[in-house]
């Protein structure tokens, strides 16, 4: 009986650790960590330029080389600013050249130079 009780306590503790790590990291690992080196704002007058985008230089997860990536920002993209363990809602207008960001992607990559994709979430991280 003592072994079952100890095992149950161990399982509950492990679940707590996993939940704590997921909560602290936002539940998801970034697909890319880097720095914004360029910003392109949408032009309502130009039907070919309807989305904001940022050019990010950094490391894509699973790769040790620095890459440039054009990241589109659409209506579904969540932008937040991280201050310690707190997250504040932000918008694409809060993104500035030189900001450190963590980006989660959605959708396919467009094979171009630089490669292009769409962001599901962008987290502005402290320098």
């Amino acid at each position: 009986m003592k072994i079952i009780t100890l095992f149950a306590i161990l399982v509950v503790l492990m679940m707590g650790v996993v939940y704590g790590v997921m909560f602290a990291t936002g539940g998801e690992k970034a697909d890319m960590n880097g720095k914004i080196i360029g910003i392109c704002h949408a032009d309502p007058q130009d039907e070919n330029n309807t989305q904001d985008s940022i050019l990010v230089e950094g490391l894509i997860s699973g790769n040790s080389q620095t890459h440039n990536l054009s990241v589109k920002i659409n209506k579904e993209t969540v932008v937040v600013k991280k201050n310690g363990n707190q997250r504040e809602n932000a918008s694409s207008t809060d993104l500035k050249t030189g900001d450190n960001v963590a980006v989660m992607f959605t959708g396919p990559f467009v094979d171009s130079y630089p490669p292009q994709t769409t962001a599901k979430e962008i987290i502005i991280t402290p320098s």
Side-chain angles (χ1 to χ4, degrees):
M1 184 67 173
K2 288 182 182 181
I3 294 176
I4 293 173
T5 304
L6 288 174
F7 182 73
I9 291 172
L10 181 63
V11 168
V12 169
L13 287 174
M14 290 300 291
M15 288 174 51
V17 169
V18 169
Y19 175 77
V21 169
M22 286 179 55
F23 182 75
T25 60
E28 247 183 278
K29 186 176 179 195
D31 296 315
M32 181 177 199
N33 290 296
K35 185 174 286 220
I36 298 175
I37 59 173
I39 299 174
C40 181
H41 294 286
D43 181 1
Q45 307 297 328
D46 183 359
E47 63 186 43
N48 294 323
N49 184 11
T50 60
Q51 293 180 328
D52 290 342
S53 65
I54 56 175
L55 183 62
V56 180
E57 178 181 59
L59 297 174
I60 297 174
S61 66
N63 197 324
S64 60
Q65 289 184 314
T66 301
H67 293 280
N68 291 345
L69 186 66
S70 178
V71 180
K72 295 178 188 176
I73 303 167
N74 61 22
K75 294 174 191 160
E76 289 81 35
T77 302
V78 175
V79 180
V80 295
K81 194 179 280 190
K82 189 171 184 180
N83 291 323
N85 287 337
Q86 301 293 324
R87 289 178 168 212
E88 303 170 4
N89 288 333
S91 70
S92 61
T93 58
D94 295 317
L95 298 168
K96 307 286 184 247
T97 302
D99 282 350
N100 290 322
V101 291
V103 183
M104 278 65 87
F105 308 140
T106 183
F109 278 77
V110 175
D111 192 21
S112 62
Y113 186 79
Q116 301 174 30
T117 192
T118 303
K120 178 169 75 173
E121 182 176 14
I122 299 172
I123 302 171
I124 305 168
T125 58
S127 299

